[in-house]
Amino acid sequence: MYEGLKGFTDFYPDEMAPLREVVDTIEDTARAYGFRETSTPALEPAEMWTDKSGEDIVDELYDFKDKGGRHVTLTPELTPTVARMVVAKQQALSKPIKWFSTRPFWRYEQVQQGRFRELYQTNADIFGSSEPEADAEVLAFAADSLTNLGLDGSEFEFRVSHRDILGELLRSFDADVDTTEAIRAVDKRAKVDEGEYLGLLSDAGLSYDQAREFDDLLMAGDDDLSALTEFSDSDDLAAAVENLQEVLAAAEDFGVREYCDVSLTTARGLDYYTGVVFECFDASGEVSRSIFGGGRYDHLIEEFGGQSTPAVGVGIGVMNSTLPLLLQTHDAWPGEGIATDYYVLQVGDVRGVASRIARELRERGHVVETDVSDRSFGAQMNYADSIDAETVVIVGERDLENDEVTVKDMESGDQTNVPVDDFPGDSERPTYDDLV
């Protein structure tokens, strides 16, 4: 008896059906915004991550040497892969490039609720536009995905920030600050106690008092962004504040401003983010961890050897993630299982007629099952009941001697005989009620 690996999940049909509905809803939303679907490899050169984040990141990867001696890894995220793809065909691609995909990723990390070592995620990215409308469209796609799944504005919130605001604020202090480490500290603010958080900022180069003042500025900026420009006359800081305000104004026009709260302590941990970033949270607080996040990464394409290309995107975890927890918390989780419209029951040597009926019903878009195990009449009826078949079509040798089949409504138990040549006939969905 073999057991599955820790952090990897089997999805049985009654679990997979609602997950498929979630994925289909998000993907249909992406298509409505004009995103085009891509497919990407599970395996990539490990250097795509180690070159940018250092060798320590291999502790978080499923990496190994392949038979050619190359250092490869199962992909832990999509952004470097799509950056590589854009660089490969940058001149031929029409701008803006709008891509989406749903696929698994692998991260060697501590397993906990809503966080596994294999996860499935839908990513949507826009390449080639630095305009606030691109950021707002990503926010709108994310919000529409959630509302299309049955949530409303009181049940989720987007905490929106700007990485350049954080960086320019840090550079305004009279200190030798490692802005990358300081922003990483901000990203951990909600996960550690105050003393450890201030200590991380001190380790990045701020004095204790400066760390306090910096944090106070972030909190003040949540309510009034002008408090930041009053603290510093940096033109770059003013430009970053203006950009955030322009994105929020565009989000208003896109109909999703109500979901957005300014939260400057939202930093996103990955170093390639450059401008507006955001994370989605459960507004009720019952799901304490981030549901998903995204943001702008304007320099990554250039860092991968391409021409300077602005980019913004979002990754929505759909399986082995916190999104199912959010939907379940707010009673928006889809119903389990798929509906079975017809079960074609066979008694005796009737396979040809039964197969013809099943085929014609399927051609009309219905879910149809029939016997493939040579079971008895009673066993087939029990099976039809177990799969919640709405209608059973009984094709028996005796009925066929009279050129008839029996159509049975499973909920009421009522049944009637109809001419075999007239079933399914011209009706798109023939049921007992249509035939009596």
Side-chain angles (χ1 to χ4, degrees):
M1 182 70 181
Y2 297 103
E3 294 183 357
L5 294 173
K6 182 179 180 180
F8 294 76
T9 306
D10 299 312
F11 296 103
Y12 288 85
D14 60 342
E15 299 165 315
M16 192 63 212
L19 287 168
R20 169 51 57 193
E21 187 171 337
V22 169
V23 172
D24 288 347
T25 298
I26 295 173
E27 290 187 339
D28 287 346
T29 306
R31 292 186 182 95
Y33 275 83
F35 289 93
R36 271 67 171 178
E37 186 171 15
T38 63
S39 179
T40 56
L43 208 64
E44 291 277 20
E47 289 77 16
M48 287 171 58
W49 283 268
T50 58
D51 285 352
K52 297 292 182 289
S53 302
E55 291 296 328
D56 289 345
I57 199 173
V58 298
D59 293 336
E60 303 171 24
L61 304 178
Y62 274 94
D63 70 310
F64 55 94
K65 290 287 183 68
D66 70 4
K67 292 182 179 180
R70 292 163 294 198
H71 187 197
V72 297
T73 182
L74 292 172
T75 50
E77 55 162 330
L78 186 68
T79 307
T81 294
V82 293
R84 175 183 59 73
M85 291 172 65
V86 169
V87 171
K89 293 191 174 183
Q90 192 164 18
Q91 297 301 322
L93 294 169
S94 178
K95 312 298 188 301
I97 304 160
K98 297 173 66 174
W99 287 347
F100 85 92
S101 67
T102 302
R103 49 153 295 178
F105 299 95
W106 299 270
R107 301 170 183 170
Y108 196 86
E109 59 186 358
Q110 184 64 40
V111 178
Q112 53 185 293
Q113 186 182 37
R115 197 174 190 90
F116 294 79
R117 289 174 176 170
E118 181 180 55
L119 67 149
Y120 291 74
Q121 185 167 289
T122 298
N123 291 270
D125 297 272
I126 301 175
F127 300 91
S129 174
S130 60
E131 297 301 316
E133 289 82 359
D135 303 69
E137 183 163 284
V138 168
L139 287 165
F141 154 70
D144 283 357
S145 293
L146 295 180
T147 56
N148 290 343
L149 285 167
L151 297 172
D152 64 44
S154 67
E155 294 169 334
F156 67 91
E157 62 184 15
F158 292 156
R159 299 178 187 175
V160 185
S161 183
H162 201 293
R163 287 283 288 253
D164 293 343
I165 290 177
L166 300 181
E168 292 305 321
L169 279 177
L170 288 164
R171 281 185 278 273
S172 297
F173 285 93
D174 183 17
D176 184 15
V177 183
D178 184 332
T179 55
T180 298
E181 288 302 318
I183 290 174
R184 287 176 181 170
V186 173
D187 185 56
K188 296 177 182 178
R189 185 181 187 277
K191 306 166 190 172
V192 299
D193 61 38
E194 182 182 32
E196 184 176 352
Y197 165 61
L198 294 174
L200 290 171
L201 288 175
S202 296
D203 292 342
L206 293 175
S207 69
Y208 185 85
D209 289 340
Q210 287 173 330
R212 278 278 194 194
E213 186 177 9
F214 171 66
D215 188 61
D216 289 343
L217 281 168
L218 298 185
M219 302 305 292
D222 290 353
D223 297 321
D224 182 9
L225 289 171
S226 65
L228 308 180
T229 52
E230 290 171 2
F231 169 76
S232 170
D233 59 3
S234 163
D235 290 341
D236 290 335
L237 176 60
V241 169
E242 182 180 6
N243 178 245
L244 176 55
Q245 292 170 327
E246 289 174 342
V247 169
L248 295 173
E252 177 77 38
D253 290 338
F254 279 52
V256 295
R257 178 64 178 87
E258 63 180 295
Y259 309 120
C260 301
D261 295 323
V262 175
S263 173
L264 296 180
T265 55
T266 298
R268 303 289 286 155
L270 296 171
D271 295 341
Y272 53 65
Y273 284 115
T274 58
V276 168
V277 292
F278 73 96
E279 291 188 350
C280 175
F281 281 86
D282 175 14
S284 73
E286 290 190 44
V287 182
S288 59
R289 292 180 49 242
S290 170
I291 308 302
F292 59 81
R296 181 163 285 280
Y297 50 101
D298 285 347
H299 303 317
L300 194 62
I301 302 300
E302 191 172 4
E303 290 174 359
F304 272 70
Q307 296 178 350
S308 179
T309 303
V312 60
V314 60
I316 304 176
V318 291
M319 300 182 194
N320 283 348
S321 69
T322 49
L323 178 59
L325 300 178
L326 176 69
L327 297 174
Q328 291 159 8
T329 296
H330 296 288
D331 298 323
W333 188 242
E336 295 182 354
I338 63 171
T340 305
D341 301 315
Y342 295 90
Y343 182 81
V344 181
L345 188 151
Q346 304 176 51
V347 182
D349 186 15
V350 297
R351 185 177 67 190
V353 175
S355 297
R356 188 268 301 171
I357 291 173
R359 184 171 61 252
E360 291 185 10
L361 289 169
R362 289 188 185 114
E363 288 171 351
R364 295 167 201 205
H366 303 306
V367 177
V368 184
E369 287 199 52
T370 189
D371 184 48
V372 294
S373 302
D374 194 26
R375 291 175 292 192
S376 68
F377 178 92
Q380 290 185 70
M381 285 298 295
N382 288 337
Y383 179 75
D385 186 56
S386 74
I387 60 173
D388 295 324
E390 179 183 338
T391 299
V392 170
V393 182
I394 302 170
V395 184
E397 287 180 329
R398 291 185 182 181
D399 282 342
L400 290 184
E401 289 175 359
N402 297 320
D403 295 324
E404 294 179 333
V405 294
T406 300
V407 178
K408 181 182 180 70
D409 182 90
M410 290 296 284
E411 183 175 0
S412 67
D414 297 331
Q415 62 185 49
T416 187
N417 293 331
V418 297
V420 63
D421 291 338
D422 293 342
F423 192 88
D426 295 330
S427 175
E428 284 299 309
R429 188 181 174 89
T431 63
Y432 169 82
D433 290 336
D434 300 319
L435 300 169
V436 293

